[in-house]
């Protein structure tokens, strides 16, 4: 880790903005189902700030409308890293021309272009884009990522830009949580997890424990320039001077993103919107940023004596703070482990399945951090296409996809229109293929409610402001589909493809005819717009426009 840090700090990257960097979010912050993969650089709450390449290299990839990135650029650098710039409003003319050609060639606004080193070279500090608020951005800002080009792993951009980010503030820990291991540990006389605040750096309260107990910490980093809270870069837990757990949030494989739900206390976050990060590692969690002793970070209080625990939290700049407390080993009778119902038991490390009449859920190994006992709920719907099924009483995300099969209770005119719908606050489309009376899909959440749905209804197209089209030469359409959802759309004028682009933060798309290859003639043209949903239902809209 130290060698990586020294190498990163030796690389001469420059700031992507021409003003003092202030962060709305830092690298590795825990979020449901993913780590924050970069840093969020504030743009003063507005769009239109110039964005520069942090180093020499070439534009290796451009994406539009994918992964929540909005408009995004990937620049590959000879030092072995790739910088990624997201939520952009627009690209420089050279890059925009490449994007536009590709969009017209593939008849799609959403694109993923791979470029050769000679297509679009850039120099360190060169203008590449204008900041925006596209994609899944909640407010205008630049989301900047640094990836290891060879592995694709996510790196902390602050290791490369430390010269442009001032930070003298130490992180602050707010509290710790004790996790008595089921049937193996007791903390302060209890077997449930318990939270305690850090009212000082050295807690004087004496805690008691017996057997095996894990710990977790709630902490945040801060910077002088803003009031935002950030994630902790480095956490260490020592017991009697021996390191039992160490995390350094850097160099995270993308495939491990959803393991944040195991390292962080996902259940507690869902209830209280606060992340306690565990200082022990569950068996299915293979995050390489976590290092433990031979006991996986679990502390075994097996002697009647004082154990001295110290948490050390450190930020990217090396600012550090220690929090200590004492736990006294005190003998308790340990409770028995709960009896396992083998009919609902899902081991984390084996291929297994769960079956009930009308449903089957199939797990491959390592979808879970630990063994889970399902909590299935079946609701009968005799007049519906299928009954509905849930497999856990609360949200319980998987690391990757499990296969779900639900039996269809009725014959339908077109089986290809069937799919699996999931309900968890909102309805989601989970795909589906029909075979011998069953619909097969893939899910990553056990707590949602699933059942078969049918969609033979085309999406709806709503022409917006049609009376002004002839004056503005901007065709604006609203798209909606209340069932399987919109998959694809394309537009034509007199049979020639024209690009319709999403209007950010809206269900609308628009085409500015002045930005298309069409030449203005002043005659009447026929506009044709086709939208397709995820069950291949199509709606065609036609209109006339003078251009």
């Amino acid at each position: 880790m130290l060698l990586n840090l020294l190498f990163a700090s030796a690389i001469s990257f420059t700031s992507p903005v021409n003003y003092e960097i202030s962060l709305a979010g830092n690298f590795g912050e825990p979020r449901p189902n993913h780590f924050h993969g970069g840093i969020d650089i504030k743009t003063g709450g507005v769009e239109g700030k110039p964005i520069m390449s942090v180093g020499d290299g070439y534009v290796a990839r451009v994406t539009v409308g994918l992964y929540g990135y909005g408009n995004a650029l990937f620049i590959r650098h000879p030092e072995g890293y790739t910088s990624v710039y997201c939520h952009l409003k627009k690209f420089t003319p050279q890059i925009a021309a490449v994007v536009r050609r590709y969009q017209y060639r593939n008849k799609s606004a959403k694109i993923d272009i791979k470029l050769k080193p000679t297509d679009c070279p850039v120099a360190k500090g060169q203008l590449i884009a204008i900041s925006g608020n596209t994609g899944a951005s909640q407010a205008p800002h630049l989301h900047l990522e640094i990836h290891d080009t060879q592995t694709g792993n996510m790196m902390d951009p602050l290791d490369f830009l430390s010269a442009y980010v001032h930070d003298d503030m130490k992180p602050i820990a707010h509290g710790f949580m004790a996790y008595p291991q089921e049937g193996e540990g007791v903390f302060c006389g209890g077997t449930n997890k318990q939270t305690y605040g850090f009212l000082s750096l050295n807690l004087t309260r004496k805690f008691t424990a017996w057997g095996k107990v894990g710990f977790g910490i709630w902490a945040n980093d801060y910077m002088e320039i803003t009031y935002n809270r950030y994630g902790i870069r480095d956490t260490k837990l020592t017991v009697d001077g021996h390191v039992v757990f160490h995390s350094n949030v850097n160099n995270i494989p993308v495939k491990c993103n959803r393991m944040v739900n195991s390292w962080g206390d996902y259940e507690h976050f869902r209830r209280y919107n606060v992340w306690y990060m565990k200082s022990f590692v569950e068996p299915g969690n293979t995050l390489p940023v976590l290092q433990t002793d031979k006991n996986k970070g679990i502390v075994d209080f097996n002697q009647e004596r004082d154990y001295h625990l110290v948490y050390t939290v450190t930020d990217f700049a090396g600012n550090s703070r220690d929090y200590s407390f004492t736990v006294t080993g005190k003998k308790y009778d340990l409770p028995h482990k709960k009896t396992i119902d083998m009919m609902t038991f899902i081991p984390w490390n084996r291929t297994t399945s769960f079956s009930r009449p009308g449903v089957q859920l199939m797990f491959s190994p390592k979808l879970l951090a630990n063994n889970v006992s399902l909590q299935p709920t079946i609701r009968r719907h005799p007049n519906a296409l299928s009954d509905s099924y849930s497999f856990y009483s609360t949200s319980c995300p998987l690391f990757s996809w499990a296969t779900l099969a639900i039996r269809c209770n009725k014959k339908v005119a077109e089986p290809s229109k069937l799919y699996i719908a999931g309900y968890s606050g909102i309805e989601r489309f989970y795909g589906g293929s029909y075979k011998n009376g069953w619909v097969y899909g893939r899910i990553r959440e056990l707590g949602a409610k699933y059942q078969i749905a049918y969609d033979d209804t085309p999406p709806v197209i709503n022409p917006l402001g049609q009376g002004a089209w002839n004056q503005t030469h901007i065709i604006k359409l609203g798209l909606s589909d209340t069932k399987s959802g919109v998959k694809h759309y394309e537009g034509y004028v007199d049979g020639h493809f024209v690009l319709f682009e999403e209007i950010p933060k809206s269900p609308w798309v628009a085409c500015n005819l002045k930005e298309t290859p069409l030449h203005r003639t002043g005659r009447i043209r026929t506009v044709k717009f086709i939208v397709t949903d995820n069950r291949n239902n199509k709606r065609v809209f036609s209109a006339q426009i003078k251009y």
Side-chain angles (χ1 to χ4, degrees):
M1 184 275 292
L2 181 59
L3 288 176
N4 289 339
L5 179 58
L6 291 173
F7 182 64
S9 61
I11 295 175
S12 181
F13 280 168
T14 191
S15 173
V17 295
N18 59 3
Y19 52 86
E20 185 178 9
I21 290 179
S22 175
L23 299 183
N26 72 337
F27 176 80
E29 289 177 355
R31 298 181 179 181
N33 302 320
H34 72 285
F35 292 94
H36 188 230
I39 57 174
D40 287 342
I41 299 176
K42 294 184 178 184
T43 57
V46 299
E47 302 179 41
K49 296 294 180 72
I51 303 300
M52 281 74 69
S53 173
V54 298
D56 295 335
Y58 69 95
V59 178
R61 185 181 180 191
V62 186
T63 63
V64 174
L66 301 176
Y67 320 119
Y69 284 176
N71 299 324
L73 281 176
F74 297 66
I75 295 180
R76 187 170 293 184
H77 305 283
E79 294 87 352
Y81 297 96
T82 298
S83 55
V84 188
Y85 312 76
C86 307
H87 309 313
L88 305 171
K89 183 175 184 178
K90 57 183 179 181
F91 309 115
T92 54
Q94 178 189 6
I95 300 172
V98 173
V99 169
R100 189 54 54 98
R101 285 197 300 270
Y102 192 92
Q103 289 172 320
Y104 271 84
R105 190 183 311 129
N106 291 274
K107 296 184 178 180
S108 175
K110 295 183 179 182
I111 58 165
D112 187 349
I113 313 173
K114 306 294 194 306
L115 301 177
K116 296 179 293 187
T118 55
D119 289 338
C120 194
V122 294
K124 176 181 175 181
Q126 179 180 327
L127 180 71
I128 54 173
I130 300 299
S131 71
N133 189 28
T134 57
S137 170
Q138 300 299 311
H141 72 281
L142 170 67
H143 176 80
L144 174 70
E145 298 186 3
I146 303 288
H147 296 179
D148 182 299
T149 300
Q150 185 173 3
T151 65
N153 289 2
M154 302 177 291
M155 314 296 293
D156 188 348
L158 294 185
D159 284 349
F160 302 85
L161 301 174
S162 57
Y164 304 95
V165 181
H166 181 71
D167 183 11
D168 285 331
M169 291 189 69
K170 297 179 179 181
I172 297 176
H174 308 290
F176 76 89
M177 186 178 290
Y179 295 82
Q181 300 300 288
E182 184 187 341
E184 297 182 286
V186 174
F187 192 84
C188 288
T191 57
N192 295 324
K193 60 185 182 182
Q194 304 155 41
T195 59
Y196 300 91
F198 278 122
L199 304 179
S200 66
L201 296 178
N202 302 288
L203 297 184
T204 57
R205 173 177 176 174
K206 289 293 184 72
F207 302 92
T208 63
W210 194 249
K212 296 180 180 180
V213 180
F215 292 89
I217 187 171
W218 168 29
N220 294 109
D221 190 24
Y222 301 87
M223 295 183 186
E224 297 92 329
I225 196 172
T226 181
Y227 292 104
N228 291 76
R229 295 191 302 263
Y230 309 106
I232 298 295
R233 170 63 184 265
D234 190 285
T235 303
K236 190 178 296 182
L237 175 61
T238 61
V239 179
D240 296 333
H242 300 287
V243 177
V244 300
F245 173 87
H246 183 206
S247 63
N248 187 273
V249 186
N250 190 28
N251 205 353
I252 302 175
V254 174
K255 66 180 181 181
C256 295
N257 237 333
R258 291 176 67 89
M259 291 181 182
V260 69
N261 298 326
S262 167
W263 180 20
D265 191 326
Y266 178 81
E267 177 190 32
H268 189 88
F269 176 81
R270 291 273 300 180
R271 185 173 297 182
Y272 300 106
N273 201 35
V274 167
W275 281 109
Y276 277 85
M277 307 308 291
K278 299 169 188 172
S279 304
F280 59 97
V281 177
E282 296 172 308
N285 186 348
T286 58
L287 268 171
V289 302
L290 308 181
Q291 304 296 322
T292 70
D293 63 358
K294 63 180 180 180
N295 296 320
K296 296 293 185 181
I298 298 294
V299 183
D300 190 0
F301 296 95
N302 54 16
Q303 300 176 36
E304 291 188 288
R305 63 173 180 86
D306 285 347
Y307 294 76
H308 301 284
L309 285 73
V310 179
Y311 266 112
T312 303
V313 288
T314 308
D315 65 18
F316 86 97
N319 302 304
S320 184
R321 204 186 298 262
D322 290 342
Y323 292 84
S324 63
F325 56 99
T326 299
V327 179
T328 301
K330 183 179 179 181
K331 280 189 177 181
Y332 278 90
D333 291 330
L334 298 179
H336 296 292
K337 285 189 175 182
K338 296 177 182 177
T339 303
I340 297 175
D341 180 0
M342 297 307 298
M343 298 297 292
T344 60
F345 179 74
I346 305 297
W348 69 271
N349 59 346
R350 296 201 305 270
T351 299
T352 189
S353 64
F354 169 81
S355 298
R356 288 290 187 272
V359 67
Q360 186 174 29
L361 183 59
M362 291 150 279
F363 296 85
S364 58
K366 301 180 181 180
L367 296 187
L368 294 158
N370 219 330
N371 301 331
V372 167
S373 290
L374 298 181
Q375 301 165 8
T377 299
I378 301 174
R379 292 180 175 86
R380 304 298 179 188
H381 302 287
N383 297 319
L385 290 169
S386 75
D387 298 331
S388 64
Y389 304 89
S390 179
F391 305 98
Y392 211 73
S393 60
T394 61
S395 175
C396 183
L398 304 174
F399 291 158
S400 190
W401 299 99
T403 300
L404 174 64
I406 301 177
R407 185 175 60 207
C408 190
N409 292 336
K410 293 183 175 182
K411 290 186 177 181
V412 296
E414 296 183 71
S416 63
K417 305 296 184 183
L418 295 168
Y419 65 97
I420 292 178
Y423 304 84
S424 182
I426 60 174
E427 180 178 335
R428 295 183 185 276
F429 171 80
Y430 284 91
S433 58
Y434 179 84
K435 185 177 180 180
N436 299 327
W438 290 74
V439 178
Y440 294 80
R442 300 194 308 160
I443 66 170
R444 292 193 297 184
E445 168 62 63
L446 297 179
K449 182 180 72 174
Y450 300 98
Q451 63 186 107
I452 293 176
Y454 186 81
D455 184 8
D456 62 354
T457 305
V460 174
I461 302 174
N462 179 28
L464 302 171
Q466 189 170 357
W469 288 2
N470 287 326
Q471 287 73 42
T472 64
H473 305 121
I474 297 176
I475 306 169
K476 189 182 292 186
L477 302 170
L479 307 182
S480 62
D481 189 284
T482 58
K483 293 190 175 181
S484 63
V486 172
K487 180 175 68 173
H488 179 74
Y489 56 84
E490 54 190 70
Y492 298 85
V493 173
D494 290 346
H496 300 284
F497 174 82
V498 292
L499 187 67
F500 279 80
E501 298 178 284
E502 293 181 358
I503 299 177
K505 318 307 176 192
S506 80
W508 309 333
V509 297
C511 173
N512 186 342
L513 293 178
K514 295 179 180 178
E515 297 178 357
T516 70
L518 296 177
H519 297 292
R520 186 176 178 181
T521 63
R523 62 184 177 85
I524 299 298
R525 312 271 196 140
T526 299
V527 176
K528 183 179 180 182
F529 187 84
I530 307 166
V531 59
T532 307
D533 66 20
N534 281 297
R535 293 293 84 174
N536 294 318
N537 302 298
K538 290 186 178 182
R539 176 83 66 184
V540 179
F541 169 82
S542 295
Q544 303 284 303
I545 188 172
K546 187 177 181 180
Y547 184 70

